[in-house]
Amino acid sequence: MVVVVGGLATFALRASFIFLFEQLGDLLARLEPVLDYVPAAVLAALVAPSFVALDGPATVGLASEQLLAGVGAFVVAWVTENMLATIVAGMAIFWAVRFVA
């Protein structure tokens, strides 16, 4: 019984968005440009803590492998707009700094 009620509640919740968005068609057209920024915001929320939340005292500066790799990856992403190049450059910088330090 609990499974059936849970399934119906889940279905009703998901179906309500379908019916709601049918009624708000014009609103969705205005929200679409804003929704283009959601993936970048989610990625930033996932990546940013790795630069500042470390085990132990936070080290921000030239000794921080994560920060240097992140800045380098940002520059590569800005210049090339290529995801694979960004990942490769970020990892290469990270391992190079870790190897040297």
Side-chain angles (χ1 to χ4, degrees):
M1 182 67 174
V2 173
V3 173
V4 173
V5 172
L8 289 174
T10 301
F11 176 77
L13 181 64
R14 293 178 187 217
S16 68
F17 283 103
I18 294 171
F19 297 125
L20 176 68
F21 287 139
E22 284 180 357
Q23 303 298 323
L24 301 174
D26 184 44
L27 178 65
L28 288 180
R30 291 184 290 168
L31 282 177
E32 193 169 331
V34 175
L35 293 176
D36 288 339
Y37 294 104
V38 169
V42 169
L43 181 62
L46 291 173
V47 171
S50 68
F51 296 137
V52 294
L54 305 172
D55 296 335
T59 57
V60 176
L62 295 178
S64 176
E65 300 100 356
Q66 292 95 341
L67 185 61
L68 286 174
V71 170
F74 175 79
V75 170
V76 170
W78 186 278
V79 171
T80 66
E81 295 183 2
N82 184 337
M83 183 66 72
L84 182 60
T86 302
I87 294 169
V88 169
M91 290 305 296
I93 293 169
F94 176 78
W95 287 110
V97 170
R98 182 163 276 202
F99 180 73
V100 170

